[in-house]
Amino acid sequence: MSRRSGILEFAVLGLLRESPMHGYELRKRLNTSLGVFRAFSYGTLYPCLKALVASGWLMEETDGAPEGVPAAALTGRRAKIVYRLTAAGKEHFEELLAHSGPDAWEDEHFGVRFAFFGQTSRDVRMRVLEGRRSRLEERLERMRTSLARSRERMDDYTLELQRHGMESVEREVRWLNELIESERAGRDQRPTDSAAQDKNQSGDTGGLPRHRGGSRPDPSDDTTT
C-alpha cells in the first residue's frame, strides 16, 4: 500500500467512524475538512472504498433500507449506497490511531492525523507532536545551513522565497511548542468538577491551547519550501 492510499484509508475510516455516509458526502468532507485531499477524485475514492469493503472494515447499505441489509441484496431502481464502519473496521481504526511512528510526522500525513486528534489518546498525541517538532527542527537547521552557504549567489527574490520558507517552518515550530505545553498541562491537571469530567469523557481534547492572536498554521500546509 502506498503512503498516499494509506492516508486516504485512515481518513475514510475516521470520518465514517463519526457517521455513515454516501460516497458524495464522504468526498465532500475529505475535500473541505482535510486540505490534503482537496484535489482528489471519485476515481481515487471508490477503489479505496471497495478495498475497505473487501477487507471487512466497511459495509455497503442502500439508503432507506433496513440497517444491516447489504446493497447487493436489493434489486430494482438504482439507489444510493451508504458506507458504514463495521466492528472490525472500528478496531482497525483504533490500531491506526495508536500509531505514532515517523509516517505520522510527515507533512502530508501529519495534517490528517491532527484532524483526528480528538479521537486520539493524549500519549499518542504527545508522541506525534514531539516527533513532528523534531522533524521540523531538523529541517529548519538544514535550511539555515543551506541559506548561509548559498545566499551570496541568490538574487533578491530567491532569497526572499528562502526566508519565507524558513519563517513558515519557524511559525509551525512555535505552534507545536504551544500545543505540547498545553498537552502537558492538561495531562497534569485533574478535573475538579463535573463539567471538567464531562469534557474529558467527550474526547480528552483539553490540551488545545487558547487562541492568543494571529492565526495558527494549517497543519496540512506544505512547509517544504
Side-chain angles (χ1 to χ4, degrees):
M1 179 181 294
S2 69
R3 178 178 296 179
R4 176 76 172 181
S5 62
I7 298 170
L8 180 57
E9 174 189 299
F10 177 84
V12 166
L13 293 174
L15 290 175
L16 291 178
R17 187 190 187 193
E18 299 173 3
S19 65
M21 296 185 206
H22 303 124
Y24 172 79
E25 295 174 305
L26 189 55
R27 180 174 180 261
K28 185 176 180 180
R29 287 288 306 279
L30 288 165
N31 284 337
T32 58
S33 301
L34 305 175
V36 69
F37 297 112
R38 288 188 185 110
F40 95 129
S41 65
Y42 287 114
T44 303
L45 174 60
Y46 281 108
C48 175
L49 290 171
K50 295 297 183 184
L52 293 175
V53 170
S55 298
W57 295 329
L58 298 183
M59 67 178 298
E60 295 177 327
E61 298 176 345
T62 301
D63 195 8
E67 183 175 340
V69 176
L74 301 176
T75 58
R77 65 181 180 83
R78 183 178 180 86
K80 292 183 178 179
I81 304 301
V82 175
Y83 295 90
R84 181 184 300 273
L85 206 61
T86 64
K90 292 177 183 178
E91 183 177 348
H92 180 60
F93 182 65
E94 292 290 341
E95 293 173 355
L96 296 177
L97 277 180
H99 174 68
S100 58
D103 281 353
W105 314 338
E106 300 297 339
D107 293 342
E108 194 172 56
H109 212 157
F110 175 74
V112 179
R113 285 303 304 269
F114 190 84
F116 293 99
F117 263 22
Q119 303 179 45
T120 306
S121 70
R122 179 165 291 164
D123 288 345
V124 173
R125 292 199 304 258
M126 281 291 292
R127 289 195 295 271
V128 173
L129 290 172
E130 289 175 340
R132 175 66 175 173
R133 180 176 65 180
S134 176
R135 181 61 49 84
L136 289 184
E137 287 174 341
E138 292 172 359
R139 182 183 302 169
L140 190 58
E141 184 60 30
R142 292 195 300 269
M143 294 174 75
R144 286 169 175 163
T145 300
S146 175
L147 183 60
R149 290 175 177 172
S150 58
R151 66 185 305 154
E152 297 300 328
R153 299 192 300 272
M154 294 181 182
D155 61 38
D156 291 342
Y157 296 102
T158 304
L159 186 59
E160 283 303 312
L161 185 62
Q162 293 297 314
R163 287 174 175 164
H164 173 69
M166 287 178 56
E167 289 171 359
S168 297
V169 177
E170 289 169 344
R171 185 169 60 252
E172 186 172 348
V173 169
R174 290 194 298 270
W175 175 68
L176 289 167
N177 285 335
E178 184 178 344
L179 285 171
I180 290 168
E181 290 173 7
S182 296
E183 289 285 350
R184 287 174 177 161
R187 182 174 58 189
D188 296 337
Q189 180 181 8
R190 295 182 178 180
T192 57
D193 54 33
S194 59
Q197 291 175 359
D198 290 342
K199 185 176 182 181
N200 284 339
Q201 291 171 359
S202 66
D204 189 28
T205 57
L208 284 175
R210 292 183 178 275
H211 184 51
R212 296 196 295 232
S215 59
R216 298 189 189 123
D218 183 346
S220 66
D221 281 348
D222 183 6
T223 55
T224 58
T225 303

